[in-house]
Amino acid sequence: MKLVESGYKQFEEKYSRFFSLSIDLLCIANFDGYFKYLNPKWTQTLGWSDEELISKPFIEFVHPEDREFTIIAAQKITQSVDAISFENRYLCRDGSYKWLSWNATGFSEENFIYAVARDITLNKQNEIELQKSIRELEAFKFALNAHSLVAITDKTGRITYVNNQFCEISKYSKEELLGQDHRIINSGHHTKEFFADLWKTIVQGKIWKGEIKNKAKDGSFYWVDTLIAPMLNPDGQPYQYVSIRTDITQRKLSELALLERSRLSVLSAEVSLALSQSGTLPEILQNCTNTISQYLDIAFVCIWTFEGQTNQLQLQAGVHCTDVACSALSDTQNFPNHMVLANNIIGLMNQNHQAIFNEELSINNSENLFDSTSSIVRFSAYPLIVEQQLIGIIALFSKQLFTEPTHNLLNWIANNIAVAIDRILAREELLSRREALLLRLASQIRSSLNIDMILETAVNEIRSLLQIDRCYFLCYLPHPSQPSLTITYEARNLNLPTMLGSIPLQKSTFLTKILLSQELICIDNINNNSHIDYDMQKLLTEFGITSQLLLPVKSNSGEIGAIVCSHCSGDRIWTNSEINLLEAVCDQLGIAIDHAQLYTQSRSATLAAQTQATKLTETLHKLQQTQSQLIQNEKMSSLGQLVAGVAHEINNPVNFIHGNLTYANEYFQEMLTLLHLYQQHYPNPQAEIHDFAEKIDLGFITDDLSKLLSSMNMGTNRIREIVLGLRNFSRHDEAEKKLVDIHEGIENTLLILHHRWKNNGIGLDISIVKEYGTLPLVDCYPGQLNQVFMNVLTNAIDALEESISNLKTTDKPQIIIRTEILDNKSVVIRIADNGLGMDEDVRKRLFDPFFTTKEVGKGTGLGLSISYQIVVEKHGGILNCLSEPGKGTEFWIEIPI
């Protein structure tokens, strides 16, 4: 019995030790809701003592939110023998709660609940945090999909996932995007280096951030703020990339609009500055186009104006821009067909004076303009209008659309350029008028030396130029007995009384003193000037003069004069430029007076000598013309008669031979038929016939005689063609103008010269290259024009013959004949050879009568002189020669249609 009790006591101790050392919370509770026994883990976990835990119902330690289902769990335990599991929160002594996971079972026989609880607070907190993170991730994913463009690509850049926002912004479906790379939305805005830097960053496993401009499926553009994050495998290498994009198009548009407003403000200021600078009209407008090309994305900008006299468009300035740089248009070759385009624009603008804005324009074969064979560009043009009159246009080509603010600014620029052009043209006209006045005076002095005409012109031109009421010339004659002061020439407003005539000496004391001292008097207002005396002021007041400018005219002849400008409508401020101009005019007048004196003294003798020299010159010129014309007429008459006679004499026997050849051929064929019949019916001829047939080779004679007759027929046809060419060339019976084919005259001339250019006995085999254009019939003197062709082609053949004979060239001799229409007004015949050419001295004298470079007996020196008379004087055309030593010679013959 003692052994049993001892064994039980040991078992109880082991059980008590297991109960107290357990890491779980072990307890025994009554069905009435109180703890009966607790192991030490409760105090360690919750901080309450055993007495505090046992003294209260255990439900009071449960979190209020957990009490209801804890009571239900306790009821289940008391009613079942199966273990029940649940979780709830227990209050700690420090006021916090800890999560406990319960396994409990009840024994109704004892009314006890045996339960094991484990502290799962840390796991529960982790679970709660995990659930919270999951909820936050779901919210983030929702927000990301709602507001961002998300795409995932593999390591090669192929798209494997896109969200709905990506499809909505890019206008592509998921099916169209999956499997593609991001080049499908490439806008072309960024450089290759930009994307190279992007890939260099992400392949290293680094995050890339930046702004990218993309292109949607419908062609529109959008901006995205992009973050690309690499997803790394265990080796640290990217296996895919996640890109998160935020649509910032509106922000970028706002930024671009702000930048555009800033750029346009600077552009307007720069254009205003360019228009305010001094210089010629092309220089100022070129500065404007240069400024526009700096601040606007354009391919071309050009400014045309109307030429004042002809009212034709003239390209004043322009700029051509490429991807590399912009350059000024040096000439019209940089802008092909610019006048056609400009005239088309003018046709539209003349009707409504409205601008053309962002019009789509297709330009084919434009590789020199836009680096592509077919370019779609945007075209805008603005009229330059002053006082409802169109004075020019400004046109722009661009790859991009201009915005409305840009359009408004360009309208403003066009208006300011128009005003500037009008101002510059007015200033240039004023300057040109001033210069023209000086030039007219100088020209009259050089040409006529008529002092009356010069002074009359001077006062009229000065009044018109300065827009004053009166201008007159004052002359003082210092005669010892009776000096006089006279107004000899006057230009005035018709409403004013004349001042011509002498000024009384008692009123001219002040003026006489001024003239003798050669002083300049400038009076803006006679009432405010104290330098004039009473008599002078009274004289000026008598004629209503309120302002006056007097400039002395200095001469070496002893005569004293002055140009006087007067104004009768209040104050008149005389500017320095006006005074400088009038001083120059007075200098010219002084020279005129001196020259007039010399001219008067020598006029008689000079006039007689000039008359005699003129008569001799005219007589010599007429003699030379008469001599050359006589020689030419005699030559042409003799040549025409000779050619016509030869042609007639040759033509008769040739026609006889040619006509009889037909009958000879028919007779031969009939005799040949008869011979064949004999051979057919008498196949075995006599021996003598057989031997004779073999001796004469009857088969050969039969075949060759037919060929011989055919050759004779061809020869007579050739002779007839030559005779016809001779008759056509001489045109002996055509002395009047008529419509002819220029090419026929050239061909007839080549036919006559065939023996020279084909082979002349020294190995000269000239190649004739004909580049004929399509020409209409030309109204001309055909015989004389053929003579021009003969002279020019003969000279070309002589030049080539000389170069071959003297072994001065190894090139194959060649003559190129080109014909074309020029401006639908005239035809041009260009005859060029590759001979030795000629120097400038020879070329200048080429058309002088009797000038020749050939040896004595080989040329008269009249061929080209007569040709010049035929082309220029007879036909009103142009005959010119282009030649350089070693580069051949080309004659240009231009005949009006």
Side-chain angles (χ1 to χ4, degrees), residues 150 236 243 264 332 343 360 410 519 605 613 666 813 828 852 874 892:
V150 181
S243 62
L264 295 180
T332 57
N343 286 321
E360 189 175 279
L410 288 172
E519 294 182 29
E666 291 179 0
V828 174
T852 180
K874 278 280 190 178
W892 174 290

Side-chain angles (χ1 to χ4, degrees), residues 260 263-264 296 382 402-411:
E260 182 184 27
R263 186 176 73 251
L264 295 180
L296 297 181
Y382 299 86
F402 285 148
T403 61
E404 193 67 27
T406 302
H407 173 56
N408 295 333
L409 178 64
L410 288 172
N411 260 324

Side-chain angles (χ1 to χ4, degrees), residues 672-821:
L672 189 61
T673 303
L674 179 61
L675 179 61
H676 288 162
L677 288 174
Y678 268 105
Q679 289 176 342
Q680 180 180 354
H681 293 286
Y682 299 97
N684 299 315
Q686 295 294 324
E688 183 180 357
I689 296 175
H690 184 269
D691 291 341
F692 186 76
E694 288 185 353
K695 179 180 179 180
I696 64 174
D697 195 354
L698 181 61
F700 171 77
I701 291 177
T702 301
D703 183 58
D704 192 52
L705 185 56
S706 178
K707 294 179 179 178
L708 182 62
L709 291 172
S710 177
S711 298
M712 293 171 66
N713 189 51
M714 291 175 60
T716 55
N717 279 329
R718 175 61 177 162
I719 294 173
R720 293 177 70 194
E721 290 176 0
I722 294 174
V723 170
L724 181 60
L726 288 171
R727 293 183 60 191
N728 290 338
F729 174 78
S730 65
R731 303 278 185 175
H732 186 60
D733 55 343
E734 297 178 7
E736 299 298 328
K737 293 180 74 173
K738 61 178 295 186
L739 293 172
V740 297
D741 184 357
I742 293 294
H743 293 155
E744 181 183 350
I746 296 173
E747 291 297 330
N748 289 330
T749 306
L750 290 173
L751 181 64
I752 293 171
L753 295 174
H754 184 274
H755 68 287
R756 292 208 58 199
W757 61 264
K758 195 60 178 177
N759 192 343
N760 66 348
I762 64 168
L764 185 65
D765 188 9
I766 300 175
S767 174
I768 304 294
V769 179
K770 302 173 186 176
E771 298 179 2
Y772 291 167
T774 302
L775 302 183
L777 297 180
V778 179
D779 189 18
C780 65
Y781 297 97
Q784 296 183 19
L785 202 56
N786 286 345
Q787 183 187 357
V788 174
F789 298 152
M790 173 71 78
N791 290 335
V792 173
L793 286 169
T794 300
N795 283 344
I797 294 171
D798 289 343
L800 293 173
E801 187 175 15
E802 180 184 357
S803 64
I804 294 297
S805 299
N806 298 333
L807 300 177
K808 295 181 179 180
T809 180
T810 58
D811 294 338
K812 178 176 176 56
Q814 184 183 72
I815 296 176
I816 301 176
I817 305 174
R818 299 183 178 93
T819 62
E820 58 185 317
I821 298 178

Side-chain angles (χ1 to χ4, degrees), residues 60-73:
E60 292 186 12
F61 294 95
V62 177
H63 192 282
E65 295 179 359
D66 301 339
R67 287 177 182 175
E68 183 176 354
F69 72 82
T70 300
I71 293 172
I72 294 174

